[in-house]
Amino acid sequence: MIWFQIFQDGPEYEARKQKGVFTPPNLSLKDLRDAVPPELFERSTIKSLYYLLRHLAFTFSFYYIATHISGIAQMMTDVPIARQVVRGMLWILYWGWQGVTFAGIWCLGHEAGHGALSPDPWVNTIIGIVLHTSVLTPYHAWRVTHQAHHKSTNNIERDETYIPPTRTDFKLPDGKVAVRMDYAEVLEETPGFTLFKMFVRQFL
């Protein structure tokens, strides 16, 4: 038995399997929307600006700390070679975490593109342009293609942003002979694994 096969499926999944073939519920988009509390659809410009400024404060804080990396390394050790190693490690940490905050800036611009930050379209547009320009993304060109993507999400023929790979693309065996569970299935939704992937992607 492979080590990751010792994990078991959750009780809800096991109970659902006992019912036989899963039949998707016949729900319309209106049914789904009506199930969401109405206050969750309310957009607040003030609240959005607060979160935006808070995020920019984190971004600037990382930059400010980075300007003192040499001094921090000098305080930590007097050995020249060790100081170089410490300084290198601190720069790697900075690049990773600053990359995460810059990805956050892009994500806030993404939400502006969806009109989610404010009920006023011009506020979303200004925020989106400023944020995406700061991370070298052409805001309006991205917004138009992104809307086309959402109209055909994961459609192999029509999605122009993301085409889902098939098992053949990954050179994987048929699903019937594949192992029941792999490590990604166990870990991919955990906060630690997500943070690890976010950090690694800053260096790709």
Side-chain angles (χ1 to χ4, degrees):
M1 176 182 289
I2 305 175
W3 70 269
F4 52 74
Q5 290 180 308
I6 63 173
F7 294 99
Q8 296 181 350
D9 293 313
E12 297 87 357
Y13 177 74
E14 292 289 352
R16 195 163 67 234
K17 281 201 308 185
Q18 299 301 320
K19 296 180 180 179
V21 178
F22 172 70
T23 304
N26 187 19
L27 296 172
S28 67
L29 287 176
K30 183 180 184 307
D31 293 330
L32 294 174
R33 186 180 178 89
D34 290 344
V36 178
E39 60 268 19
L40 296 183
F41 290 107
E42 295 176 4
R43 293 167 292 174
S44 169
T45 304
I46 299 299
K47 187 181 290 186
S48 296
L49 288 175
Y50 163 72
Y51 285 117
L52 172 60
L53 292 173
R54 187 181 72 170
H55 187 84
L56 293 177
F58 277 113
T59 305
F60 179 78
S61 297
F62 283 128
Y63 163 76
Y64 180 77
I65 293 171
T67 62
H68 294 80
I69 282 181
S70 294
I72 294 171
Q74 192 167 359
M75 284 191 303
M76 293 179 71
T77 178
D78 292 329
V79 181
I81 294 178
R83 188 183 306 152
Q84 294 294 334
V85 172
V86 169
R87 187 165 59 182
M89 292 174 63
L90 290 174
W91 274 113
I92 289 173
L93 279 173
Y94 164 72
W95 291 333
W97 287 110
Q98 191 68 295
V100 169
T101 61
F102 271 60
I105 290 174
W106 186 92
C107 289
L108 287 167
H110 168 272
E111 296 310 307
H114 281 290
L117 300 184
S118 172
D120 300 310
W122 65 271
V123 174
N124 288 305
T125 299
I126 291 174
I127 292 175
I129 289 174
V130 171
L131 293 180
H132 271 191
T133 300
S134 71
V135 290
L136 305 180
T137 301
Y139 176 71
H140 284 296
W142 165 84
R143 185 176 57 82
V144 171
T145 58
H146 192 62
Q147 287 177 349
H149 154 68
H150 273 288
K151 290 178 181 177
S152 308
T153 304
N154 291 348
N155 185 297
I156 294 180
E157 284 80 25
R158 295 189 295 121
D159 191 346
E160 58 185 71
T161 302
Y162 173 70
I163 300 176
T166 62
R167 297 186 69 84
T168 304
D169 294 329
F170 285 127
K171 297 182 173 58
L172 294 173
D174 185 87
K176 295 178 181 177
V177 298
V179 294
R180 180 182 176 193
M181 186 181 295
D182 61 26
Y183 76 94
E185 274 191 87
V186 177
L187 300 175
E188 65 182 353
E189 297 301 327
T190 62
F193 192 66
T194 301
L195 181 61
F196 169 74
K197 288 192 295 184
M198 286 176 58
F199 194 82
V200 168
R201 286 174 183 167
Q202 308 312 314
F203 301 97
L204 298 180

